[in-house]
Amino acid sequence: MAMQDIGVSIVGKITEKFIDPIMRQFQYLFCYRSNVETLRNGIKKLELTKTEVQRSVDAARNNGEEIKPIVTDWLRQADGLEKEADTIFEGMENVKVNCFKIVRLPNLKSRYLIGRHAAKRGNDAEKHLRERRFDEVGYLPPLGKMPFSESTPSFEESLITRMSMKREVIEALKQDKRSLLAICGMAGVGKTFLLEQIADQVKSEKLFDGVAFATISQNPDMRNIQNQLAEQLRMKLKSEHSGRARAEQIYTRLINSDKRNLVMLDDIWEEVDLRSLGIPIRSGKCKSLTVVLTSRFSHVCRNMEAEIFEVNALPKEEAWHLFKEVAGISDDSALSDVAKQVAEECKGLPLAIVVVARAFRTNYTTPESWKLALGQLKKYTMRDLERVQDLVFSRIEWSYDHLKSVEAKSLLLFCSLFPEDYSIPVECLVRYGKGLKMFQDRETLGDMRYRVDQSISDLKSCYLLLTDGGKEDHVKLHDVVRDVCLKIASEGEHVFLVRNVGGKEGHPQPDSFGRYTAVSLTWKGNSNGPFPLGEECPKLRLLRLVFQSGKMISLSPDSFAGMEDLRVMEFNKLQIEFSPSDPGQMLMSLRTLCLDYCELGIGTSSMIGYMTQLEILSFFGSRLRDNQFPTEISLLSNLKVLDLRVESSRHPLSLGILSSLKKLEELYMGFHRPLRLGRNAEEERGCIKEITSLACLECLQINLHGIDDLLLLLREFPVERLSRFNISCKQTQTKNGGDYQFRRNFKLYLRDEKDSELALCPAVTSIIRRTEKLTLDLGFLFRSGNFVNDLDESGFVNLKRLRLKSGSWECLIDSTTNLAPRHVFENLVFMELTSGKLEEICYGNLPPRCFSQLQEMKLQRINFIEYLWKGPIEPPSLCNLRGIEVSNCQRITTLFSQSVLKCLVKLQKIVVYSCENLESIVMREENMKDQVLELPQLKVVTLKCTGLEGFGCEGDTYSRAFLNQVSLSLFLSLSVFLYDILHVKEIVDREFR
């Protein structure tokens, strides 16, 4: 029996070692078809999984996240497996050979190799699917890459005293002797600018591991400041936690950190309890933390035991240099002598210099006009020469008095009603201005909006208003200019009251409301400060109440009994219930009512019905909790603006409301999700028909979720009458953006093949032709040839921003025929093409001025395209392009040809991800091989997962010059992110060898 077992064991081993491998080889030969089919099925599963992962990657990148290396590597290997599988599938054509050109016989060698490779790659695909063990594909990168200040090195070097002060503070930070520093000086002396410059230098020299910057202001919101600091320290604070619990979390993070952190707190007005923010500055437990403050009040910082660095006014020569740079004059100019006298009147204060210089540059052109204006400027002497604060106020007040229009002055004053550092929507100013009849000669909202834009432009040109760089159609008021405005508004015909209730400053007594023409109160927490409702306020024309905690109030006609001249009323973040009684003449003068981000309970509908003179009514972001939709809106026969962009509503919009508003000029409907129109499909179509019947309508915002509703609207309403629109059509119930302001936006998301074909119908293309911001997602089944000819034969002359997703296109532009428009894409600023098939951007030469305003271009997962542009291309085409980003475009081999470089004079950034066939950034042209062309503004090149062989062509003078330029701006001073740094070294060595 034992011998038998031994025999079996020997046979088993012989089978395992010799027979199985032999049989496996025969299996490769005879089962090659099943092996290939198994591989094909495995690759299909892999492709589906890869598509899912790629969608997650795209979403993460859109959220500003970095992609985990394990995910990038997984996608790269998946691409490699797909390519190898394609080679095997193509090899199936060679499994037979011709025998004497008579009969085709099996090619045993090909069958064997295909079967063997298919089996191995099938196992690899199955293994690769199992290796997808990541739930999240990305992570948020550390903050702090964006610079705080925007000054140029030459400008900084000309202000010697500021450079000296910056060096002093930087040296103190390096020595690490004091943990609390303070930069102090009067208003307008440039403390914030200096702090931002210090922050940038600290980051560039890596003196600290982390830098966090927050603005405190006169009435600090501690929770908001904690959020700012935590975000920059890469922490997550829970909103439901108390302020102390959040402070404890920040405190623990800082004292347990082995890294050096710098916290910068700008604009301190009074002593700040740093412990309430979680900053352990005095505990002695966190020696790796340094805090830098700025303040107008040095005694406040001394009380906080900070080391003081005082910033003084600029010396005469530096003040003159700043003035002439802003005013745009030179030392040998005819205006030079009088300009120096004007600069001296500003007493070296940067803010006063900038404001006055801009006012003179804008309003006066001859020496005589400058001298006359200088004489007027000198009359604005301060009341007390010992108080330098009055100098800034008097100079800014002078610029205010010299504004050309009364409307611009009023608009600037009304901007001061908003809190410090507030991002003010221009739309709010339009609605306030309409209610107050600021522009009495303007009947329509469109005309008035034009005048508001014109006034804002005038104010910006004088630096009295600032552009909010982060938000389109928003403005900001510098805190010093705001103080001047509030001072002006406390005298004469304007008497403003602006308070943050819950702060430490004193509050007016309730009986003092009677003298004010405008009141703006912001409640913090559950403070019970003064409340104007129910008081005698005969002069009050504007009332703005904001409650950060969602305070509950109950209103009745008596609440407004003493406000017979009230024109504008805004309630923000309130819970409102209305108690009906005899309305009398309640708010008969009210023209603008904004109930934004409120919760509107029982009685809302009846309350609105009393305000028969209303011209503007807004429920932006509010929740309608009344037992019915506010049907009394139909009684407001004078209504010109109706904003129904509600967060939610218990009841749908009823039929008959919109058709009653004969004077309606602007209609906004739907917020994050479409507003329900009617109780069923029939009533929904009825509501849309009511919209099309509005004869005065000039602005429309609406979210639709069906192509039939969209076509009904576009076919029955003359869209050319709309000066502004934001129309979105989605077949899915996903969230839309809640944009408060817009110009001409159109978004179309389709998936059904039949509906996709309707995108080319005249009703849709008519609105596309007028659109400034266009988003098209037509589905993967959509097929078309020429994007421009199919959708807008005039060349998209109005288009500024284009997002094109999915679909299949031969080209965007075809200049080889006579059909190409002359002004195609002439005003386009941003273009993003995603997840589609595109062979070329332009067939033939790029038309003159095409893409002349384009600043940023992104391509993601665009199949078939092999290059972006090839010459000849002439300026001004592409001359404003600043950034190019290309990712997952597998067929692209080069970005542009050498002749295109002369147009890319402003290109600053090139980013290429996962383009494995990319061989070079620039394609060399034989007829230009001796020319040396550069990209003078190029600062950043990011290359990951590419097949880059060189920046140009090996050995030519062009490549050397290009690489010389890039190496100076990238390799030495900035960052180059490359997938394989050794590969880059080989490229550099080869180019310079």
Side-chain angles (χ1 to χ4, degrees), residues 309-368:
F309 295 83
E310 291 192 352
V311 183
N312 299 313
L314 294 173
K316 184 177 179 179
E317 287 302 317
E318 293 182 34
W320 167 236
H321 181 87
L322 176 61
F323 185 94
K324 68 182 182 180
E325 181 157 321
V326 176
I329 59 178
S330 59
D331 288 319
D332 56 358
S333 169
L335 299 172
S336 179
D337 291 336
V338 66
K340 286 182 179 179
Q341 297 180 56
V342 175
E344 289 175 5
E345 286 297 313
C346 298
K347 306 302 180 185
L349 294 173
L351 179 61
I353 291 171
V354 170
V355 171
V356 173
R358 175 61 72 171
F360 270 77
R361 179 179 182 174
T362 303
N363 298 315
Y364 309 108
T365 57
T366 65
E368 291 73 23

Side-chain angles (χ1 to χ4, degrees), residues 217-219 267 269 296 418-422 479 482-483:
S217 299
Q218 185 176 5
N219 299 285
D267 198 15
W269 280 65
R296 305 180 191 181
F418 296 89
E420 280 185 349
D421 301 312
Y422 190 82
D479 53 357
R482 179 175 177 271
D483 290 343

Side-chain angles (χ1 to χ4, degrees), residues 450-500:
Y450 171 77
R451 287 290 296 275
V452 170
D453 288 340
Q454 198 174 46
S455 296
I456 288 174
S457 179
D458 293 342
L459 293 169
K460 285 180 179 179
S461 68
C462 300
Y463 285 110
L464 292 174
L465 267 186
L466 305 175
T467 299
D468 186 349
K471 296 182 179 179
E472 188 179 4
D473 293 328
H474 286 69
V475 294
K476 275 192 172 183
L477 199 61
H478 190 285
D479 53 357
V480 179
V481 178
R482 179 175 177 271
D483 290 343
V484 175
C485 291
L486 290 175
K487 173 181 174 292
I488 295 171
S490 65
E491 304 166 348
E493 61 175 313
H494 301 288
V495 186
F496 286 5
L497 171 64
V498 181
R499 288 287 186 273
N500 286 280

Side-chain angles (χ1 to χ4, degrees), residues 196-472:
E196 290 173 343
Q197 288 184 311
I198 292 170
D200 287 338
Q201 185 165 337
V202 163
K203 289 197 301 182
S204 66
E205 295 183 8
K206 299 182 179 179
L207 299 180
F208 290 81
D209 299 296
V211 178
F213 192 109
T215 301
I216 304 298
S217 299
Q218 185 176 5
N219 299 285
D221 182 347
M222 292 304 194
R223 293 180 71 86
N224 182 44
I225 296 167
Q226 287 175 335
N227 288 338
Q228 292 182 57
L229 297 177
E231 186 175 37
Q232 295 170 78
L233 293 171
R234 302 196 70 193
M235 299 174 58
K236 291 185 178 181
L237 301 179
K238 294 187 177 180
S239 58
E240 63 270 17
H241 283 182
S242 66
R244 180 173 179 81
R246 291 153 60 90
E248 183 76 24
Q249 187 178 348
I250 296 175
Y251 178 90
T252 303
R253 157 72 167 76
L254 291 173
I255 64 172
N256 291 336
S257 175
D258 58 351
K259 298 181 178 180
R260 298 190 67 207
N261 293 297
L262 176 63
V263 174
M264 311 184 103
L265 303 178
D266 186 35
D267 198 15
I268 303 290
W269 280 65
E270 53 188 320
E271 189 171 350
V272 177
D273 181 8
L274 297 177
R275 288 189 310 164
S276 65
L277 293 173
I279 300 175
I281 200 65
R282 294 179 183 170
S283 65
K285 296 182 179 179
C286 189
K287 299 187 182 297
S288 61
L289 173 67
T290 303
V291 177
V292 182
L293 316 172
T294 70
S295 179
R296 305 180 191 181
F297 313 106
S298 58
H299 69 278
V300 170
C301 298
R302 288 192 182 95
N303 291 340
M304 296 177 67
E305 301 179 8
E307 180 181 354
I308 306 295
F309 295 83
E310 291 192 352
V311 183
N312 299 313
L314 294 173
K316 184 177 179 179
E317 287 302 317
E318 293 182 34
W320 167 236
H321 181 87
L322 176 61
F323 185 94
K324 68 182 182 180
E325 181 157 321
V326 176
I329 59 178
S330 59
D331 288 319
D332 56 358
S333 169
L335 299 172
S336 179
D337 291 336
V338 66
K340 286 182 179 179
Q341 297 180 56
V342 175
E344 289 175 5
E345 286 297 313
C346 298
K347 306 302 180 185
L349 294 173
L351 179 61
I353 291 171
V354 170
V355 171
V356 173
R358 175 61 72 171
F360 270 77
R361 179 179 182 174
T362 303
N363 298 315
Y364 309 108
T365 57
T366 65
E368 291 73 23
S369 62
W370 273 62
K371 290 176 182 178
L372 181 62
L374 173 61
Q376 296 173 338
L377 178 63
K378 288 180 176 179
K379 295 177 182 179
Y380 282 76
T381 57
M382 47 261 187
R383 295 182 297 273
D384 184 359
L385 293 175
E386 297 299 323
R387 295 180 60 201
V388 186
Q389 176 84 9
D390 284 344
L391 176 63
V392 178
F393 276 44
S394 63
R395 273 28 189 177
I396 296 175
E397 189 173 352
W398 178 89
S399 292
Y400 168 83
D401 286 342
H402 279 73
L403 290 171
K404 295 179 179 179
S405 71
V406 176
E407 293 90 348
K409 292 180 178 180
S410 298
L411 207 64
L412 183 64
L413 295 183
F414 281 113
C415 287
S416 67
L417 291 170
F418 296 89
E420 280 185 349
D421 301 312
Y422 190 82
S423 184
I424 306 169
V426 174
E427 184 64 25
C428 279
L429 301 179
V430 172
R431 296 181 181 189
Y432 283 10
K434 180 61 178 175
L436 296 169
K437 295 188 176 180
M438 192 180 298
F439 301 90
Q440 295 187 11
D441 59 332
R442 299 290 165 173
E443 293 187 0
T444 70
L445 266 297
D447 290 341
M448 184 177 169
R449 185 171 280 103
Y450 171 77
R451 287 290 296 275
V452 170
D453 288 340
Q454 198 174 46
S455 296
I456 288 174
S457 179
D458 293 342
L459 293 169
K460 285 180 179 179
S461 68
C462 300
Y463 285 110
L464 292 174
L465 267 186
L466 305 175
T467 299
D468 186 349
K471 296 182 179 179
E472 188 179 4

Side-chain angles (χ1 to χ4, degrees), residues 772-791:
E772 294 182 4
K773 188 175 181 180
L774 176 64
T775 300
L776 288 178
D777 185 352
L778 303 178
F780 292 101
L781 299 177
F782 183 84
R783 299 286 185 274
S784 184
N786 185 330
F787 178 77
V788 170
N789 283 356
D790 289 344
L791 294 179

Side-chain angles (χ1 to χ4, degrees), residues 673-707:
R673 289 186 173 87
L675 176 69
R676 287 183 296 161
L677 306 179
R679 295 168 297 180
N680 50 48
E682 182 179 353
E683 289 192 2
E684 180 181 29
R685 294 178 64 83
C687 288
I688 295 175
K689 287 187 176 182
E690 288 186 7
I691 294 174
T692 64
S693 70
L694 298 174
C696 297
L697 197 64
E698 295 182 355
C699 170
L700 175 64
Q701 186 273 330
I702 188 170
N703 295 336
L704 303 168
H705 55 259
I707 188 67

Side-chain angles (χ1 to χ4, degrees), residues 20 119 161 172-173 213 299 394 438 443 492 596 650 750 776 852 865 878 937 984 991:
D20 286 350
T161 56
L173 293 173
F213 192 109
H299 69 278
S394 63
M438 192 180 298
E443 293 187 0
D596 296 341
R650 286 183 177 177
L750 300 174
L776 288 178
S852 59
I865 193 166
L878 305 179
Q937 298 294 324
V984 175
E991 297 287 351

Side-chain angles (χ1 to χ4, degrees), residues 796-831:
F796 290 95
V797 292
N798 296 306
L799 193 62
K800 295 181 179 180
R801 301 182 70 86
L802 171 64
R803 296 181 186 273
L804 181 60
K805 184 176 182 181
S806 67
S808 178
W809 310 85
E810 293 179 6
C811 63
L812 298 185
I813 311 162
D814 186 355
S815 64
T816 61
T817 67
N818 295 327
L819 299 177
R822 294 183 57 188
H823 304 288
V824 60
F825 291 129
E826 194 171 83
N827 295 301
L828 192 68
V829 175
F830 173 86
M831 179 168 69

